[in-house]
Amino acid sequence: GRRLYLPEIHSKNGQRRQAAERAAINAPMQGTAADIIKKAMIKVHDWLETTDFDAKMIMQVHDELVFEVAEDQVDDLVKEVKERMESAAELKVPLIVDAGVGENWDEAH
């Protein structure tokens, strides 16, 4: 139901027209990815509310969720979060989630 207005798609200026064409191609993919991460966030949040994990979802960065979690629970949390994120959308291709762990966001990469 999203609308993307691209008046430049009919531009006589080749650069402007090509930019609009790229936007037209990218918008459905980026919008779908945004919807999937939002669904994953809701699934993970709702699950976290019902557990005894010493963990908190603190941030979303593009297609990533960032958590603070007790060190002794990291492996279990990663397993549970991956399961929920990978099942956030039913696609014809597998939805694969990678996880990184570190003292900060940079180290986790």
Side-chain angles (χ1 to χ4, degrees):
R2 290 183 181 91
R3 292 175 191 249
L4 179 63
Y5 297 98
L6 299 165
E8 298 288 343
I9 200 95
H10 301 293
S11 176
K12 292 180 180 169
N13 180 308
Q15 282 185 316
R16 288 184 177 182
R17 185 179 60 254
Q18 288 173 348
E21 289 168 355
R22 282 191 300 279
I25 291 168
N26 287 333
M29 289 180 275
Q30 290 177 338
T32 301
D35 290 343
I36 292 171
I37 193 66
K38 288 173 191 160
K39 286 183 175 194
M41 286 175 67
I42 292 167
K43 262 185 124 159
V44 171
H45 171 70
D46 290 348
W47 167 77
L48 267 177
E49 291 284 304
T50 67
T51 70
D52 291 328
F53 274 94
D54 183 11
K56 184 183 237 180
M57 186 178 354
I58 59 169
M59 172 170 62
Q60 174 210 350
V61 181
H62 303 291
D63 61 348
E64 300 178 22
L65 300 180
V66 180
F67 297 84
E68 284 184 351
V69 59
E71 280 188 55
D72 62 327
Q73 296 179 338
V74 169
D75 292 338
D76 292 332
L77 183 84
V78 166
K79 178 182 173 285
E80 295 291 340
V81 168
K82 280 184 64 156
E83 285 178 16
R84 281 156 183 82
M85 289 183 74
E86 288 177 345
S87 67
E90 197 169 310
L91 304 173
K92 292 182 181 180
V93 296
L95 185 56
I96 307 296
V97 173
D98 293 322
V101 177
E103 291 292 318
N104 55 54
W105 186 68
D106 189 44
E107 278 184 23
H109 284 91

